[in-house]
Amino acid sequence: MGLFGKDKGKDKDGHATQRRRVAVVSVGAMAEQLRTAALQQAQQLQAGAAGSGGGGADWVRRLRSVLSGPDAGYVKRCTCTFCGAPKKLPSTNAYVYCDYCGSLADYDLHRACETDTMPGPEYTRLVNGLQPELKAARAAGDTTHYRELQRQVFGAYVTNCPMAVSHRAKADEDYRNDLVAYLAESGVQRAFDPEATRLEQEMAQRVAALRWTGSVMTRQVDTGSFWPMTETLSRQVEVHDMLNRRSGVSELDPDKADFLQSKLAWSMFCQGWLRYLPEDAAQQLLERTGLTNEYVPIQPEGSQDRRCSGCGGEIHALPGAKEVVCDGCGRKLDVTAAELTCGNCGATMTFPSGASHMACPYCKVDVERVGIG
Ligand SMILES: [Zn+2]
Ligand SMILES: [Zn+2]
Ligand SMILES: [Zn+2]
């Protein structure tokens, strides 16, 4: 996907826009860093005005015309990279998984903006507290210690900001551990690369150089000072792509979704910054980054209603589906086998792939796969 590829000629401010091909990358951790920068900026702005929301408390409503999520009965138009199937069933989460193979297929920024993904104070405290150690490990070239610290940071991130990461991390411990390891390793690659470090400093300068307009309650960023940030981010995305490919870190991604990492990075960036943009600039950012959404009617024809053995939530299996990610708890469920029945309460349920027994979500009695299906 060529972010900025849709640009033709000049942007609103009259600058010649470069046709920039941004390769797919693994930059989840970097995106988080950018978002944190945006949040810190917001906190600084709010320091002088207790209780006011950054960018106006109701920024999603203000940008409704450019940021509307799916209506009931619609789903984001996308196709699974792994099996080629189109998305047919609704998704209540921003991370959109394939209805047929359970692979990560897309990220719905518009859905994400309806959810509060701000890290809580606990996470912020931990990250701020670790900064001196992170800095020292980096200065000393101590990758081992830096990696340990990054694991702490992202472990806390996944735990304290569950809405910011895939719902797969909610209940699937293997997925969660893999995700933390992947994010941490991406952080290590970034921290010890000279060009990535230079770009990080450049980004910090560009954030510091932002000019702000409006009253405290309706604080907005001056777009002339905003667009240079996106130029730096484009280069960061390219560099991190190169780093993650060269080091093999892309392979650690539990979703194996390197095709989606550029989009995730830009989505996180938008989640942090859209609230501070005037409507026309917000629209322009979404178009430049290819994050405007198209929604198509859901197609539930022939789907079988099942129950998740992890959370008891309803899931739907389309004919031919193999694995389905539960929207409620994020477990990846095997929908090829018949449902299992709880010997105690009689409830039927679908097991996660590879699980041999589960506690019944209704009565907590152990249910075994043995001899069934
Ligand atoms: Zn698929
Ligand atoms: Zn579930
Ligand atoms: Zn039961």
Side-chain angles (χ1 to χ4, degrees), residues 350-369:
T350 302
F351 268 33
S353 308
S356 58
H357 65 97
M358 295 286 288
C360 170
Y362 309 103
C363 73
K364 306 300 172 202
V365 164
D366 199 57
V367 182
E368 277 195 74
R369 193 195 281 272

Side-chain angles (χ1 to χ4, degrees), residues 183-243:
L183 292 173
E185 203 56 45
S186 295
V188 172
Q189 292 300 322
R190 270 198 333 270
F192 295 95
D193 179 77
E195 178 62 2
T197 303
R198 192 192 67 73
L199 286 168
E200 186 187 331
Q201 287 159 358
E202 183 180 296
M203 179 58 94
Q205 285 162 9
R206 292 199 152 168
V207 171
L210 288 173
R211 294 184 301 271
W212 298 86
T213 61
S215 67
V216 171
M217 289 299 286
T218 59
R219 189 70 77 190
Q220 289 193 345
V221 68
D222 168 69
T223 52
S225 65
F226 175 77
W227 294 120
M229 276 175 64
T230 63
E231 296 295 317
T232 304
L233 179 59
S234 284
R235 291 205 295 282
Q236 287 184 298
V237 162
E238 285 176 65
V239 167
H240 294 152
D241 170 43
M242 182 271 293
L243 286 175

